[in-house]
Amino acid sequence: MKVGLFIPCYVDALFPEVGMASLKLLRHLGVEVVYPQGQTCCGQPMANGGFEKQATHLARKFEDKFGNFDYVVAPSVSCTAFVRHNYPSLIKDCKVADKALDIVEFLHDVLKVKGPLGRFPHRVSIHNSCHGVRELGLSSPSEQNIPKFNKIRDLLQLVEGIDVVEPERPDECCGFGGLFAMEEKAVSQRMGCDKISRHAATGAEYVTGPDSSCLMQLSASAERLGLDIKCKHVVEILASGL
Amino acid sequence: MSTFHSKSAKSFLKDEKYSSWHDKTFWSVRQKRDAMAEKLDEWEQLREKASRIKLHTLSHLDKYLEEFSGNAEKNGVKVHWAADAAEFNEIVFGILSSHGVKKLVKSKSMLTEECEMNPYLEARGIEVVETDLGERIIQLKGQKPSHIVMPAIHLNHDDVGELFERKGISDQPGNHDPSYLTYMARLSLRGEFLSADAGMTGANFGIAATGDIVVCTNEGNADMSTSLPKLQISAIGLEKIIPDYASLAVFQRMLCRAGTGQPSTTYTSHFRKARCEDGEMHIILVDNGRSDWLADPAHREILKCIRCGSCMNTCPVYRRSGGYSYSYFIPGPIGINLGMLRSARQHSGNLSACTLCRSCETVCPVKIGLAEQIYSWRQSLSGLGTFNRSKKLMSDAMSLVFNHQGLYDAATGAESVMNIVPRDWMPFGLRFPRKPFHKLVKEDDK
């Protein structure tokens, strides 16, 4: 099984530790993982803002980089969802769309990790990112009447010493939304503050989630409100102490 | 970098207490809806079924419209067809003036809002009285609805109390008790019902197999509007036709659960013929753009909408910006889409009001891809020339950087990343130069 690691642009530039933790975790689990150099962005920010055509080029480039792997794994739900759901309409004969998995899905559904992972003796509140919930199915959407599940929670519970909680309104949007945060700054900031307050109300020391863009929004909101709560990507917690 | 919606939302959010109340009020409706959905094991199957019935009906709409109008005519109803809002208003005025109507009582109809019927009739000397309590309040206040199911939800009991005092509806100044105010509204409306010359309803559904107009209300005001005057007019959009009672049973189980979190509306009224021998019933079937939308494969599924309002209640942006922050009279995810269909040029300033969180699509009882449609409208914006210039510049810059490895390396190196990511996004801790992952991993591999 050959796994290509996709580290989206903003993770590369702003959250390199999330990339390193992904690599560490996958290697720890015995996965043959390769990081192809020369990858940049999947094209989602432009497309969501209304400039899908600018994503086509990047989609082709992505297909070239990752087309020959068995799986393409990324620590980012919204980039993964974009590749999976939008690439088939952007480029012909797209192979990567079906191979693209968020790292939570890969660990939970493909590797079916059951063994002990790292150690993280803290109370942690799960941030269920919209695209993880409603595009990739990482957890049961609160809107739907289907059996309840949460793949992030399943994985976190393999971490020693952890106390996992979820906030009130467990999958309401944090208000980031890429270019939304620029165009609708007032609403975006309000949503971020509301969301981080609900996380803080659980008494958690950390918020964790499958997407660093939501976590960036939440950290900025915590600072704005002066809340003492930190954000860590779920892979950082799973890999902690390994 | 601001749009119609973002500017209005910003001022809405300035009043923190009010905006928090607004968010909580609609969230509680969403929670009531969740509780209802959880009580039906077959909820998700119902959504799928409801969606398919609508798709089926829409793809055979010609057949069902003929069946509906044929059956209505057999029942003795006069059926009219209006191509657009202007023709609709003319038909209504024609019927009313030929009967010498001076006062029209009506139940809630978003279609008559869409056609701006009230001002049209009032300009021609006909008094129009809204009888849904929420609609009556905003009519007296001279406002537009801020929500399609709860049109006056933005007002509190003090606002209503003061309004009723000014309009002479209440007789105890300072008494703003909701039960008292409702009682006084009821008394005042009773007089209107008794003195009206004609009654009008909208329609939640039109049943092709029987020619019934089905109206769901909680106040019984549609029944009052049609049980006293001898002349009844019902206005219905083409897309509201469904095949038969079996399909009605599916929608009837969902509409109110999704919309207000009640198992059913208090009244579900079927109107099939004139109420007495010397009475008349008219049905006006209104197109007003709908057949064009039906011909547009990218957006036709918007016509599945049953106007329950649940997409507004769940929308995190609607809850934090209010109905008046949208330029179209229907707000929220469905309103963004309907506005674009009505006039893309006029209403593209609402497209920013979406994070693509997709809660609306997941709540929608007829499974409309509301966010998907907004995404697709955004793609057509640059063709309209209404796109946001600085957003385009930003997107162009990203495209350039992501397509050229040298530029990308430079942009992700050290301080320069600060130049491509807006400062507001970044928590303080991130505002320091760091080595990007793609360089760290190279060192790691050595």
Side-chain angles (χ1 to χ4, degrees), chain B residues 223-263:
Chain B
D223 307 83
M224 291 295 284
S225 300
T226 52
S227 300
L228 292 164
K230 287 181 181 171
L231 174 61
Q232 173 183 350
I233 304 172
S234 289
I236 179 167
L238 298 187
E239 83 284 18
K240 292 291 180 71
I241 302 296
I242 54 172
D244 48 25
Y245 279 176
S247 24
L248 176 66
V250 174
F251 294 110
Q252 184 52 20
R253 297 186 76 196
M254 307 195 83
L255 176 65
C256 204
R257 286 187 167 91
T260 59
Q262 296 164 276

Side-chain angles (χ1 to χ4, degrees), chain A:
Chain A
M1 180 169 67
K2 265 185 77 183
V3 172
L5 182 64
F6 165 42
I7 297 299
C9 53
Y10 73 99
V11 177
D12 183 30
L14 299 169
F15 303 95
E17 64 280 7
V18 171
M20 294 309 281
S22 306
L23 210 51
K24 182 163 91 172
L25 187 61
L26 291 170
R27 284 180 178 156
H28 171 82
L29 293 166
V31 177
E32 190 194 334
V33 55
V34 178
Y35 173 79
Q37 283 286 347
Q39 45 178 296
T40 57
C41 168
C42 65
Q44 186 193 197
M46 293 85 109
N48 284 359
F51 308 99
E52 197 180 58
K53 278 191 197 122
Q54 293 183 327
T56 313
H57 233 74
L58 294 167
R60 244 180 244 122
K61 186 170 151 177
F62 193 99
E63 176 79 21
D64 290 345
K65 288 267 173 226
F66 288 106
N68 291 323
F69 286 100
D70 298 313
Y71 294 101
V72 183
V73 174
S76 168
V77 285
S78 79
C79 305
T80 306
F82 186 72
V83 171
R84 189 182 300 169
H85 299 309
N86 294 62
Y87 273 23
S89 66
L90 290 181
I91 48 173
K92 269 190 197 159
D93 305 320
C94 175
K95 285 183 288 182
V96 284
D98 294 336
K99 299 176 181 182
L101 289 177
D102 176 73
I103 195 161
V104 171
E105 293 180 291
F106 183 71
L107 299 175
H108 191 278
D109 302 341
V110 179
L111 296 185
K112 299 186 167 55
V113 177
K114 297 272 185 273
L117 291 170
R119 180 181 149 72
F120 198 73
H122 301 280
R123 175 174 284 196
V124 174
S125 180
I126 304 179
H127 183 72
N128 295 300
S129 296
C130 300
H131 292 177
V133 178
R134 299 183 195 91
E135 293 193 13
L136 300 181
L138 294 193
S139 58
S140 45
S142 61
E143 296 90 356
Q144 285 192 297
N145 181 4
I146 58 172
K148 302 284 174 245
F149 66 92
N150 190 326
K151 295 178 186 177
I152 302 173
R153 180 182 274 271
D154 290 349
L155 291 177
L156 286 174
Q157 269 156 356
L158 304 172
V159 172
E160 199 190 322
I162 199 166
D163 174 16
V164 184
V165 295
E166 282 182 73
E168 215 198 310
R169 305 190 188 183
D171 52 16
E172 188 182 30
C173 182
C174 69
F176 179 66
L179 293 175
F180 174 85
M182 293 178 69
E183 268 196 304
E184 292 269 359
K185 193 169 150 187
V187 181
S188 171
Q189 292 191 350
R190 181 62 175 270
M191 287 171 71
C193 291
D194 287 356
K195 188 78 207 185
I196 194 68
S197 303
R198 292 200 166 84
H199 280 298
T202 63
E205 304 157 72
Y206 290 89
V207 177
T208 193
D211 204 296
S212 297
S213 62
C214 310
L215 298 177
M216 174 163 75
Q217 160 90 343
L218 292 172
S219 303
S221 307
E223 273 174 17
R224 211 164 276 134
L225 296 175
L227 292 172
D228 184 23
I229 187 164
K230 293 175 277 300
C231 297
K232 262 191 189 301
H233 192 284
V234 65
V235 291
E236 292 180 89
I237 292 181
L238 298 177
S240 156
L242 290 181

Side-chain angles (χ1 to χ4, degrees), chain B residues 55-81:
Chain B
L55 285 175
H56 165 82
T57 318
L58 289 168
S59 46
H60 300 86
L61 195 58
D62 52 342
K63 169 183 168 284
Y64 285 113
L65 280 169
E66 279 182 15
E67 189 184 342
F68 175 78
S69 62
N71 283 326
E73 278 164 358
K74 267 186 227 154
N75 298 334
V77 171
K78 292 185 182 162
V79 179
H80 310 257
W81 301 79

Side-chain angles (χ1 to χ4, degrees), chain B residues 298-330:
Chain B
H299 297 289
R300 67 168 58 121
E301 69 161 343
I302 291 299
L303 291 168
K304 293 196 290 183
C305 179
I306 56 172
R307 301 291 190 273
C308 70
S310 60
C311 62
M312 294 166 204
N313 307 339
T314 200
C315 177
V317 179
Y318 172 81
R319 279 187 271 107
R320 290 174 182 82
S321 54
Y324 295 145
S325 293
Y326 300 76
S327 63
Y328 193 55
F329 82 101
I330 297 180

